Amino acid sequence: VSQSVGMASQEHLRKESRTADVKKESAAIKGMITGGTVITEMLLGGLFLENLKMQKQLLAQPYPTVARTMLRAGLGGFWAGFWPWGAALGLSKGIVLGAAKSFWQNAFLNYTSVEKGRIDLYSGILAGGCQGIVMGPTLLARTRVNEGLRLRMEAGVKSEGVMGEFLISMKILNDAIKVDGFRTLTIGLPTMVFKRSADWGARFLFMGIVKEQWAKMKADPEAGLAPWERLVATFLGSGSSVLVLQPLDKLMPIIQADRGGKSVMDVLRVQIANKGYFGCLW
């Protein structure tokens, strides 16, 4: 009897340890919170920095040159591409990621005996894949629109207001669909799904490693990390994952850009010939 009680106690402790930092969450609420957070981040400068990075990757011009070109239109350039496709992309990637992460996390907690660290990793990979399926077409639409808006800004055309930019965006996308059909919205989708899965999987993996090592260095490793320590560890882990994911991130605009009928491999060969492997992928 004492042996049975001991085994039951150990099993309870293992289960308690497994779920100590992982709790069941409402997928709907988590999705709404994540979606709202992403939109706020985009409006405060995240969208501009993302557009700046993409244009830098496509044009291979210095950052100051790209930034000056984008900001000639004032706030219209700072928020270029936000409405409607940037907003749609922000909401979709935030809502889908938050909801999917909670869904898979709850599933692992309810139906498996996977350890805490692996729950974060596995649910992150699956949530990233779900995000990629939704983001692929939306990001392509925004890429097409951003290219058209960039050409307009370079020509000195001023912003025409929210509705004006919306109508222009719809016309740019409609013209792209007329030329290439709806497949223009699925170009690079498998790569996007793989990239988002790898992206979030790597982030949660690195964040878990940083948090675990940080906790071990504390006087009482069992006490866990304070909120500010978790925030810093999350930042460090996410930043470290960029070193692994940068090549995929840099290839996405090339894969999704208008290649003039050339294959992805043909474009990559030209890029590598002009910039070398390091310049093309890093």
Side-chain angles (χ1 to χ4, degrees), residues 53-121:
K53 178 194 69 174
M54 292 177 66
Q55 292 302 316
K56 163 70 174 177
Q57 292 170 343
L58 284 172
L59 304 176
Q61 295 177 346
Y63 277 115
T65 301
V66 179
R68 282 194 297 269
T69 301
M70 293 174 62
L71 292 175
R72 283 176 186 169
L75 282 178
F78 186 75
W79 287 328
F82 176 76
W83 183 260
W85 304 111
L89 179 64
L91 283 174
S92 64
K93 73 179 183 180
I95 291 174
V96 172
L97 178 70
K101 175 66 165 58
S102 294
F103 172 83
W104 290 114
Q105 181 171 298
N106 293 342
F108 280 114
L109 285 172
N110 289 332
Y111 305 113
T112 74
S113 58
V114 178
E115 296 179 355
K116 183 264 172 183
R118 295 184 183 274
I119 289 178
D120 266 349
L121 175 61

Side-chain angles (χ1 to χ4, degrees), residues 246-268:
Q246 174 65 11
L248 268 178
D249 192 47
K250 198 165 184 179
L251 286 177
M252 283 308 300
I254 297 173
I255 292 173
Q256 294 182 327
D258 183 1
R259 301 186 298 272
K262 296 180 180 179
S263 69
V264 174
M265 291 308 300
D266 288 338
V267 174
L268 283 178

Side-chain angles (χ1 to χ4, degrees), residues 35-68:
T37 301
V38 171
I39 290 295
T40 302
E41 176 265 339
M42 292 175 71
L43 291 175
L44 292 178
L47 175 65
F48 173 75
L49 292 176
E50 189 173 354
N51 287 338
L52 180 65
K53 178 194 69 174
M54 292 177 66
Q55 292 302 316
K56 163 70 174 177
Q57 292 170 343
L58 284 172
L59 304 176
Q61 295 177 346
Y63 277 115
T65 301
V66 179
R68 282 194 297 269

Side-chain angles (χ1 to χ4, degrees), residues 17 20 22 64 70 117 121 159 173 176 189 199 206 217 222 249 266:
S17 174
V22 182
M70 293 174 62
L121 175 61
S159 174
L173 183 61
L189 183 59
D199 188 355
F206 278 85
M217 292 187 294
E222 299 298 325
D249 192 47
D266 288 338

